Amino acid sequence: MADPAVTALYTADQVRRLDRAAIERCGIAGYTLMQRAAAAAFASLRRRWPDARRLCLFAGTGNNGGDALLVGVAALQAGLSVEAVLPRPSRGEDACRAREAYAAAGGRFVGDAATQLPEADVYVDGLFGTGLDRAPAGAEAAWIERLNASARPVFALDLPSGLSADTGQPLGAAVRATATISFVGWKRGLFTAAGADCGGERELATLMLPDAAYAGVEPDAQLLDAGIAGRLPPRAGDVNKGSFGHVLAIGGDHGMGGAIRLAAEAALRCGAGRVSVATRAGQVGAINAARPELMAHGVDGLPALAPLLDRADVIALGPGLGQGAWSHALWDRALASARPAVIDADALNLLARQPAAVSAGSVLTPHPGEAARLLGCAAAEIQADRYAAVRRLAAQHRAVVVLKGAGSLIAHPDGRVAVCPWGNPGMATAGMGDVLTGVIAALLAQRLDAWDAARFGVALHARAGDRAAGVQPRGLLATDLFDPLRLLVNRFAP
């Protein structure tokens, strides 16, 4: 299990409370925290770019700028060449003290009239911290654009300037850093939406804060970590296929048979004992030819579906389902079955058109567009605050919800949120969501509860995607995940 401090995610307000607790309750001076932040940042910079000889600091008016200037002090003491850009004068006692320390160490300042980036091996971004709540403007916005146009590495202190600490959305111009070192605690915005693109490689420095500083500040969310593994019970020797659950995958309207086959095979690959498929009769031959281990049934109406539902433990509902009369009839009967279900794709679109209760123990897996339809808003509103959106969905449907996308979020109806730090852009391709549906359904069938099945399923899916993609994400197929999924589910289960 990972150190709780490494998996805790905080809002900007919570981090400010941690800072105040460190100063007021633990007696650590603000300038001491600034010195610790600078020391951690400079050590990280040297590890990442050991050959760097010239630094250029971008220092804002507040403590984030003070951190940058003290990085400059450490760099000067190490014999590096340093220049600092201060678009506006420092404010606050600690930031002004850092500026004086930098000047006393022989640091140079770039003149106010400069419009070109000074030559440097690494640029250090200390323009804005977590308190920014508006789009950068004026000189700061111009410098951010120049930094982003540079081919040189950019090292962000605490948070890339211009990125929302809470939502992961750029507030306007936002630094796209090569790496970010976050202080005291992780900011939740670094792990979803544009957070990964802007943050680059992420590192945490807790600045040696004692446990007392964190007492009373419950993290807003948690990162998934290897500790999510091991939720599956060990497999005894005296078992049979009935011991590991029966998944019924429902979907595959005309022209969409591949989607339901992907979900069904993923369920098998992740350990379900049996998987049946309820689909259009025209899809059965192709499914049997491609994966004979699946029990594919042509279902033209409710009489043919009823016995399949009776035998199922868990339903995977939605991949390739469509939204016509056939689709709606199967969807309605599946929801009425009281079976735990993983509800995805067109099953979510039907749910948005006709709100209905979902069975206890179910998991909804919308992408932002589907989430928007469920909440009656635009997809941009979902992305503007993914944390708020996924919590609303979980509360509204009284179910665990996975909001897919960069930094997938998993929400419990009680307000808990877990965040997936894995995955890659290659997974933005057709069929990936269908595979995730099957993965989670298999875990539900093996008697994980919805919260554990969703978290473990998202982790397995993302890590399998990373393993399959390697360093070449383009051209990744959903079926490429099957082999690594099988390896990972066995590696992380007893």
Side-chain angles (χ1 to χ4, degrees):
M1 183 69 73
D3 178 353
V6 176
T7 61
L9 299 179
Y10 296 98
T11 65
D13 180 67
Q14 287 176 321
V15 173
R16 285 191 287 272
R17 289 166 57 193
L18 294 175
D19 284 339
R20 286 198 302 270
I23 294 168
E24 298 169 5
R25 187 188 309 155
C26 303
I28 305 173
Y31 192 71
T32 299
L33 290 176
M34 191 176 285
Q35 290 174 310
R36 291 180 184 179
F42 184 65
S44 176
L45 188 153
R46 295 301 278 166
R47 288 193 303 271
R48 292 177 183 278
W49 301 285
D51 297 328
R53 304 303 305 164
R54 299 170 300 170
L55 301 186
C56 180
L57 318 172
F58 287 83
T61 61
N63 287 346
N64 196 240
D67 295 339
L69 292 168
L70 290 186
V71 168
V73 172
L76 289 164
Q77 291 171 345
L80 276 63
S81 172
V82 184
E83 290 184 294
V85 177
L86 277 71
R88 304 177 198 280
S90 301
R91 292 201 304 263
E93 181 180 347
D94 292 336
C96 289
R97 185 176 174 185
R99 186 184 190 284
E100 293 167 1
Y102 173 76
R108 300 191 304 276
F109 294 94
V110 175
D112 294 342
T115 58
Q116 299 296 318
L117 276 177
E119 289 293 324
D121 300 315
V122 179
Y123 296 103
V124 177
D125 167 30
L127 285 170
F128 297 109
T130 59
L132 186 68
D133 58 2
R134 66 189 186 285
E140 289 89 349
W143 284 118
I144 288 171
E145 297 292 355
R146 294 180 192 120
L147 282 173
N148 288 342
S150 169
R152 297 290 186 176
V154 178
F155 188 38
L157 304 184
D158 207 26
L159 189 75
S161 292
L163 184 74
S164 168
D166 287 344
T167 69
Q169 283 288 10
L171 296 165
V175 166
R176 296 176 67 90
T178 312
T180 298
I181 183 167
S182 197
F183 303 130
V184 177
W186 286 122
K187 287 70 187 171
R188 72 179 199 180
L190 274 171
F191 291 91
T192 199
D197 285 335
C198 290
E201 295 182 9
R202 295 161 295 204
E203 177 181 347
L204 177 66
T206 60
L207 309 187
M208 299 178 286
L209 262 61
D211 292 343
Y214 296 90
V217 182
E218 188 69 21
D220 180 78
Q222 293 283 343
L223 281 176
L224 294 176
D225 69 271
I228 189 59
R231 296 302 201 274
L232 285 174
R235 289 201 167 185
D238 184 19
V239 294
N240 57 62
K241 61 187 177 184
S243 304
F244 306 114
H246 187 168
V247 173
L248 174 62
I250 302 175
D253 199 358
H254 298 304
M256 297 184 285
I260 202 63
R261 181 244 159 147
L262 287 169
E265 182 167 349
L268 277 180
R269 294 289 186 181
C270 288
R274 292 178 291 176
V275 180
S276 295
V277 181
T279 188
R280 289 283 193 179
Q283 314 288 11
V284 172
I287 292 173
N288 283 341
R291 183 52 60 209
E293 296 88 346
L294 297 172
M295 297 177 285
H297 302 266
V299 173
D300 293 324
L302 297 183
L305 181 64
L308 301 179
L309 286 170
D310 289 343
R311 293 194 293 268
D313 298 307
V314 174
I315 300 168
L317 179 62
L321 181 63
Q323 299 184 54
W326 175 85
S327 316
H328 187 277
L330 269 59
W331 169 86
D332 188 61
R333 182 63 184 85
L335 289 187
S337 71
R339 299 288 192 275
V342 184
I343 303 172
D344 184 35
D346 277 327
L348 294 169
N349 292 325
L350 289 169
L351 187 62
R353 282 169 42 188
Q354 182 180 322
V358 300
S359 301
S362 292
V363 179
L364 280 62
T365 60
H367 58 55
E370 291 158 348
R373 287 187 280 276
L374 287 166
L375 290 176
C377 64
E381 294 178 57
I382 301 295
Q383 291 298 87
D385 191 341
R386 288 168 56 82
Y387 288 92
V390 75
R391 284 187 165 111
R392 282 180 61 198
L393 284 167
Q396 175 176 299
H397 294 281
R398 299 180 183 178
V400 172
V401 175
V402 177
L403 179 56
K404 296 181 289 195
S408 289
L409 308 182
I410 307 102
H412 191 281
D414 66 11
R416 284 177 284 170
V417 173
V419 184
C420 181
W422 305 296
N424 63 82
M427 298 176 73
T429 187
M432 285 291 175
D434 305 320
V435 170
L436 177 62
T437 295
V439 172
I440 298 173
L443 299 175
L444 287 173
Q446 293 169 84
R447 298 179 177 84
L448 268 65
D449 65 27
W451 178 239
D452 281 347
R455 291 185 299 149
F456 191 19
V458 168
L460 284 173
H461 182 257
R463 296 184 73 167
D466 287 344
R467 182 170 289 199
V471 296
Q472 297 174 319
R474 286 185 176 87
L476 186 66
L477 301 180
T479 51
D480 293 337
L481 270 61
F482 286 152
D483 286 344
L485 272 172
R486 181 169 180 260
L487 291 171
L488 288 167
V489 77
N490 282 287
R491 174 184 173 189
F492 292 122

